[in-house]
Amino acid sequence: MVTTLEKVDVVTVGVGWGGGIIGAECAKAGLKVIGLERGKSRGTADFSLIHDEFRYAMRYDLMQNLAKETITFRNDRKMRALPMRQMGSFLLGEGLGGSGTHWNGHTWRFLPYDFEIKTLTDEKYGKDKLSSDYLLQDWGVTYDELEPYFDKFEKMAGISGEDKNPFWGKRTSDFPTPPMKKTPILKKFETATSKLGYTPFMLPSANLSEAYTNPDGESLAQCQYCGFCERFGCEYGAKTTAEVTVIPTAQKTGNYDVRFHANVVEVMKTGNKVTGVKYIDTQTGEEFIQPAEVVVLTSYVMNNAKLLMVSGIGEMYDPDTGRGTLGKNYGYQILPGATGFFDEQMNVFMGAGSLGMTIDDLNGDNFDHTDLDFIHGASMSITQTGVRPIASNPLPPDTPVWGSEFKKQSIYNYTRTLSIGGQGASIPHKENFLSLDPNYKDAYGVPLLQLTYNFTEQDRNLHKYLTEKSAAIMKEMGAKTVMPGNPLTNYDIVPYQTTHNTGGTIMGADRDTSVVNTQLQHWDAENLFVVGAGNFAHNGGYNPTGTVGALAYRAAEGIVKYSKNGGSLV
Ligand SMILES: Cc1cc2nc3c(=O)[nH]c(=O)nc-3n(C[C@H](O)[C@H](O)[C@H](O)COP(=O)(O)OP(=O)(O)OC[C@H]3O[C@@H](n4cnc5c(N)ncnc54)[C@H](O)[C@@H]3O)c2cc1C
Ligand code: SF4
């Protein structure tokens, strides 16, 4: 039996950064909001005195239970896709705050070039710079239009940074808090990159350099540089997450509630409107319908696309004809870099998730690509996140992989190894897409999402170029031995790379080439909004969440307006 609940103004599917921001902004505007979250509640107190690397970093305690729901994967259409049975290449979130609970906190604004990438690339390099197999397109909004929302996200989150990057878009205000501490390791990178003619600056960080109270009155503490940040919750309340900022803000209005263990399996649609969602209580197995005036999908890239697909909303992308938009332009990132082995000992075990220095000289179109066989680039950073003993075992090339020499080298190099790496942009390709798997279902009987993905020639060329640049920086930093990253081969879903998945539900100004409009309102259902990195028409050279946050604030403004006036927002 399915129980139909009382109608609300807004329901969000998932309560991470996207769901939290939409929840807070709509509740502040007087709308009654319910957040449906398939995971459990959690908060700062749950992480007190538990720096358990095995539990959180190796066993993924805070993340999605793949025994209940996963995705299937293949490199190309000729292969049979198989289920991802262990977390690997990326880590899917679950529970209050989503992946934001255990993120590092690198908080970027995508470059002005990113939002108008097709127009600007064609203008400067001609229409044939890339083959037509690359589905490059503008996002339908400009950086300048998004700037107020970036500003709002950063002020809400208290981001620590310095306005010293000559390449990023114009900012209306400086960072709310000063940059984090510049450690001797970061100074080494600063000196080397400056000597090579680059412009280093402190990485914008959501691990706060000092205590901060945001415009909504939420207080954050100062980071303790504890080194157990990425994949861990913060026991000090010093890492900005949705559950210490926007979610309490929403709750204080009296207009907001979260229902836990609520796994949404369908978005219900009649005519050109949605009527609500169907969910299963994962503890009791009971089914519910939650009617709502507005439905907002904030369940991350994968589930936003999957829910639209299983609900039959929008036209599926067909790689043979190029028709359809749902599932199109899936993007990932490439990670060029280099490791250096030094003689001197360094305090690598101290750190924070987003303690780092970056150069942007090799990102976006910040350098001339006329004679290069790729477009775009990467932000290149050194980060000092705190090297933990189980996962980190850096060894110079040709070291035996067992025995006394292995042990000796392992202990010696633990505090004498540094890495630099890039977040390399990914340009969408017609063969990289999301769809529904025809064979496998999740524990609730819903088909699994299928990922078809491989690195492209553009990716390989970009990776090669930036790996060489990284090795040169590492040499300049004084490493005794420099080990450049391996050349890019086929995409492998097993080793961890990055949780920066994008696309599948892309935004745009044209309904024929995008799933949602520039306010993230679905083209085929005016009261359905889809929010997250799935909206990105390509993946840029940074971590995504700053841009997700800005898009979410813009969408929230649109939802409040829609709730008053109805109709299309564009
Ligand atoms: C280890 C790690 C480090 C990272 N570091 C950074 C970083 O430094 N900088 C950066 O920019 N980004 C980083 N990211 C990425 C960042 O965490 C995500 O971009 C961000 O959290 C996405 O927010 P979201 O709200 O779109 O999705 P999520 O945070 O994934 O939240 C989605 C929520 O929806 C829920 N949900 C899903 N499906 C359903 C359903 N059917 N029914 C109900 N609920 C559902 C999930 O349980 C989850 O809680 C990192 C990610 C990881 C894993
Ligand atoms: S490094 Fe800082 S922000 Fe991260 S978990 Fe530790 S104290 Fe919190």
Side-chain angles (χ1 to χ4, degrees):
M1 202 188 84
V2 184
T3 307
T4 301
L5 302 163
E6 205 178 311
K7 193 172 190 175
V8 293
D9 294 322
V10 178
V11 62
T12 74
V13 178
V15 188
W17 267 127
I21 290 169
I22 301 290
E25 292 304 291
C26 292
K28 283 195 296 187
L31 299 171
K32 294 279 177 205
V33 187
I34 283 283
L36 296 178
E37 168 54 51
R38 66 182 172 183
K40 59 184 180 189
S41 182
R42 60 190 179 201
T44 305
D46 294 316
F47 307 118
S48 184
L49 299 173
I50 319 177
H51 285 180
D52 185 340
E53 186 183 1
F54 197 62
R55 173 175 168 186
Y56 292 111
M58 314 306 287
R59 285 267 169 97
Y60 313 115
D61 191 75
L62 300 175
M63 297 161 200
Q64 179 173 320
N65 180 354
L66 296 187
K68 291 207 164 151
E69 186 183 353
T70 183
I71 61 157
T72 66
F73 164 71
R74 57 185 181 173
N75 277 122
D76 61 57
R77 286 196 276 159
K78 289 187 216 102
M79 296 169 78
R80 179 182 166 152
L82 293 172
M84 177 176 85
R85 296 193 189 275
Q86 284 184 346
M87 287 290 182
S89 169
F90 44 84
L91 306 173
L92 300 168
E94 183 166 298
L96 193 66
S99 293
T101 297
H102 49 78
W103 73 323
N104 290 62
H106 303 197
T107 311
W108 295 100
R109 301 171 170 205
F110 270 29
L111 294 163
Y113 171 67
D114 282 309
F115 300 101
E116 299 173 272
I117 190 166
K118 168 80 176 145
T119 303
L120 297 175
T121 305
D122 286 357
E123 263 172 31
K124 190 161 167 191
Y125 303 109
K127 286 187 189 307
D128 298 330
K129 179 72 179 165
L130 291 182
S131 97
S132 57
D133 288 348
Y134 293 95
L135 308 178
L136 202 60
Q137 65 187 68
D138 294 346
W139 294 31
V141 285
T142 62
Y143 171 85
D144 288 344
E145 285 169 307
L146 273 184
E147 204 284 335
Y149 306 98
F150 278 120
D151 190 60
K152 200 162 181 183
F153 181 72
E154 287 176 2
K155 285 186 174 138
M156 176 278 295
I159 301 305
S160 301
E162 56 184 5
D163 190 4
K164 286 193 178 163
N165 177 9
F167 298 106
W168 56 33
K170 204 166 176 307
R171 306 173 55 91
T172 45
S173 42
D174 204 349
F175 288 92
T177 52
M180 299 188 81
K181 285 184 193 306
K182 201 180 288 174
T183 63
I185 290 174
L186 304 193
K187 282 183 190 153
K188 221 184 241 311
F189 177 83
E190 183 182 38
T191 307
T193 49
S194 301
K195 262 195 196 156
L196 291 170
Y198 301 124
T199 311
F201 58 94
M202 291 295 287
L203 199 160
S205 167
N207 318 139
L208 298 201
S209 60
E210 63 183 28
Y212 177 72
T213 300
N214 79 10
D216 292 316
E218 309 302 341
S219 292
L220 290 139
Q222 181 179 6
C223 175
Q224 303 299 305
Y225 299 83
C226 77
F228 288 78
C229 199
E230 180 194 12
R231 306 189 184 192
F232 298 80
C234 178
E235 67 179 301
Y236 302 100
K239 170 160 66 171
T240 317
T241 64
E243 68 274 24
V244 298
T245 53
V246 285
I247 294 166
T249 297
Q251 282 162 335
K252 278 178 205 158
T253 63
N255 292 327
Y256 182 76
D257 209 357
V258 184
R259 210 165 291 143
F260 294 101
H261 309 290
N263 185 57
V264 174
V265 291
E266 188 185 341
V267 181
M268 309 178 76
K269 181 167 179 274
T270 311
N272 70 345
K273 285 198 176 178
V274 292
T275 55
V277 297
K278 185 171 166 186
Y279 73 87
I280 298 174
D281 183 317
T282 58
Q283 292 189 309
T284 63
E286 283 174 285
E287 292 188 355
F288 295 91
I289 287 173
Q290 177 60 66
E293 294 290 348
V294 173
V295 173
V296 192
L297 299 186
T298 51
S299 56
Y300 196 61
V301 176
M302 308 307 186
N303 272 357
N304 282 356
K306 172 172 156 172
L307 283 170
L308 292 177
M309 289 176 191
V310 295
S311 309
I313 301 174
E315 188 181 347
M316 293 290 297
Y317 168 65
D318 178 349
D320 281 326
T321 62
R323 279 186 56 83
T325 54
L326 181 54
K328 185 178 114 155
N329 283 32
Y330 173 80
Y332 197 49
Q333 281 182 324
I334 50 129
L335 307 175
T339 301
F341 299 91
F342 293 76
D343 279 330
E344 72 187 278
Q345 272 201 304
M346 292 166 279
N347 290 342
V348 293
F349 43 83
M350 291 294 293
S354 43
L355 174 64
M357 284 202 91
T358 301
I359 55 162
D360 239 356
D361 305 70
L362 301 170
N363 196 4
D365 198 36
N366 302 342
F367 58 112
D368 187 33
H369 292 69
T370 308
D371 298 325
L372 298 173
D373 48 6
F374 59 85
I375 62 164
H376 218 302
S379 57
M380 304 294 306
S381 303
I382 188 159
T383 50
Q384 189 176 345
T385 56
V387 175
R388 295 185 295 267
I390 301 178
S392 298
N393 197 5
L395 291 169
D398 303 326
T399 309
V401 292
W402 57 278
S404 58
E405 185 59 18
F406 162 76
K407 285 183 198 158
K408 197 174 125 201
Q409 291 290 342
S410 184
I411 292 164
Y412 181 80
N413 286 293
Y414 180 66
T415 48
R416 292 178 171 87
T417 308
L418 298 179
S419 292
I420 50 178
Q423 311 267 359
S426 154
I427 306 304
H429 189 273
K430 74 181 191 44
E431 293 296 332
N432 289 332
F433 60 98
L434 301 174
S435 57
L436 279 184
D437 190 278
N439 301 310
Y440 294 95
K441 292 190 170 155
D442 66 22
Y444 311 99
V446 184
L448 296 188
L449 189 79
Q450 179 177 273
L451 166 62
T452 306
Y453 184 76
N454 208 348
F455 295 128
T456 64
E457 203 188 329
Q458 144 83 30
D459 291 328
R460 289 179 229 284
N461 297 342
L462 175 60
H463 188 275
K464 181 169 180 291
Y465 180 83
L466 292 174
T467 300
E468 284 163 12
K469 300 283 181 197
S470 314
I473 296 170
M474 193 49 92
K475 191 159 176 256
E476 187 64 43
M477 284 169 65
K480 186 179 60 175
T481 307
V482 176
M483 195 166 78
N486 290 327
L488 205 59
T489 52
N490 288 329
Y491 171 65
D492 180 355
I493 203 162
V494 176
Y496 185 70
Q497 288 149 71
T498 177
T499 312
H500 300 163
N501 319 79
T502 58
T505 58
I506 62 174
M507 63 189 290
D510 177 356
R511 62 179 304 142
D512 290 335
T513 54
S514 54
V515 171
V516 291
N517 66 25
T518 51
Q519 295 281 344
L520 311 189
Q521 184 180 29
H522 200 285
W523 287 112
D524 296 342
E526 62 177 39
N527 61 340
L528 172 62
F529 292 76
V530 185
V531 178
N535 303 133
F536 294 10
H538 71 279
N539 205 347
Y542 296 128
N543 314 56
T545 312
T547 302
V548 171
L551 290 175
Y553 272 109
R554 192 161 187 267
E557 201 177 86
I559 293 165
V560 172
K561 202 164 142 203
Y562 174 82
S563 297
K564 285 192 191 126
N565 307 324
S568 171
L569 291 163
V570 295

